[in-house]
Amino acid sequence: MSDIIRHLQAHRSIRQFKSTAITEEQVAQIIASAQSASTSSNLQAYSVIGIRDASTKRQLAELAGNQRHVEECPLFLVWCADLHRAQTAVQLHQEDDALEIPQNVETFLVATVDAALAAQNAAVAAEALGLGTVFIGGIRNDLRRVIELLQLPQLVYPVFGMCLGEPDQAPTPRPRLPRSAIYHSECYSAREQAEGIRAYDETLVQYYASRTGGGKQTNWSGELTARLRPERLRPDLYEVLTAQGFRLQ
């Protein structure tokens, strides 16, 4: 197994961090790695906001559901889908400040995927530097307030956050679904899905038991059922995104 593959497969989310500051040199390496990620048609339709200010992190932690690690990590990154820069570039080329770039669901997806690809590169780079990371989708709990707090212009929205810092814990990597449940040869096959889910449920029960001494008794399908309740699916996102200037049609 190559060192890169071993590094990727050793990933684990870190939620406890030492107070050690992240240097500007480390940030430069992480962002340079992010910028090396693939991007659709070279649009580079994403931006990232680095936050060290304690007050801002505290507010973001509250908005993300009172996740303490958002407040306690030395550096919090907010990864944004960004079509604002593309609109600025087009206006410079056309010399028409009123010109709006054409957009639809495709451009929205391109920007969102660009942000995700860049962020994953950043996470891998951070871990290579000895840092720990965890993605924070909870900043979408109250997207409007996050947009206001970070002063995001039209056509920019926060996709997720990322805690960064020197790890102060060493959790066991969480098991993933069996390959048979996610990999399909030639065409999609649903035949082995139920079997793979049942096997994964058993694996997670054992994993949680080993980590909590039997204090957590649940499985993947049970967690999924709870997390996909309508009230937990952020029903206001469409309204906020359209108000932010995205055309989702």
Side-chain angles (χ1 to χ4, degrees):
M1 186 185 297
S2 75
D3 289 342
I4 293 176
I5 291 177
R6 187 177 296 108
H7 174 70
L8 290 170
Q9 294 183 3
H11 166 75
R12 62 261 177 97
S13 294
I14 299 297
R15 294 178 175 83
Q16 294 179 25
F17 300 94
K18 298 179 181 179
S19 59
T20 309
I22 295 178
T23 68
E24 288 302 324
E25 181 180 355
Q26 288 174 315
V27 173
Q29 292 294 335
I30 290 167
I31 298 304
S33 298
Q35 290 191 270
S36 297
S38 298
T39 170
S40 180
S41 301
N42 200 32
L43 286 178
Q44 303 176 68
Y46 65 91
S47 289
V48 57
I49 302 172
I51 299 167
R52 300 181 189 265
D53 180 77
S55 175
T56 304
K57 287 191 296 179
R58 186 178 307 113
Q59 293 178 73
L60 288 169
E62 293 174 357
L63 293 172
N66 296 310
Q67 298 189 56
R68 290 179 54 188
H69 35 284
V70 173
E71 180 179 355
E72 295 171 353
C73 68
L75 178 64
F76 188 67
L77 301 180
V78 179
W79 296 89
C80 301
D82 185 350
L83 294 177
H84 177 81
R85 184 168 51 246
Q87 177 157 298
T88 300
V90 169
Q91 289 172 343
L92 288 173
H93 182 70
Q94 299 292 338
E95 297 182 352
D96 182 358
D97 290 341
L99 184 67
E100 295 185 2
I101 60 170
Q103 54 163 316
N104 57 11
V105 171
E106 168 66 8
T107 53
F108 175 81
L109 286 176
V110 162
T112 303
V113 171
D114 266 13
L117 293 174
Q120 181 61 21
N121 257 30
V124 173
E127 291 172 352
L129 293 172
L131 303 174
T133 69
V134 63
F135 284 83
I136 306 295
I139 64 167
R140 299 193 302 277
N141 289 350
D142 194 336
L143 203 58
R144 185 178 286 104
R145 288 179 63 189
V146 174
I147 288 170
E148 293 172 355
L149 178 63
L150 300 181
Q151 303 178 35
L152 301 183
Q154 289 279 286
L155 299 180
V156 179
Y157 89 93
V159 183
F160 43 69
M162 178 190 291
C163 298
L164 280 175
E166 185 177 343
D168 198 22
Q169 62 175 169
T172 304
R174 186 181 309 195
R176 299 306 201 219
L177 283 160
R179 186 179 67 175
S180 61
I182 62 98
Y183 179 74
H184 307 265
S185 180
E186 306 303 336
C187 64
Y188 193 98
S189 173
R191 288 180 301 173
E192 299 183 16
Q193 292 283 15
E195 180 181 345
I197 291 169
R198 282 192 290 268
Y200 187 52
D201 279 346
E202 294 178 6
T203 299
L204 272 196
V205 167
Q206 297 173 16
Y207 168 76
Y208 288 139
S210 68
R211 288 191 61 184
T212 66
K216 183 174 182 178
Q217 298 180 351
T218 186
N219 55 35
W220 184 71
S221 58
E223 289 183 331
L224 198 64
T225 301
R227 289 173 179 169
L228 293 179
R229 293 198 305 266
E231 64 272 18
R232 297 190 64 179
L233 294 179
R234 305 179 179 116
D236 64 333
L237 286 184
Y238 179 84
E239 179 183 345
V240 177
L241 290 170
T242 53
Q244 195 64 8
F246 291 96
R247 294 177 186 167
L248 307 178
Q249 57 186 9

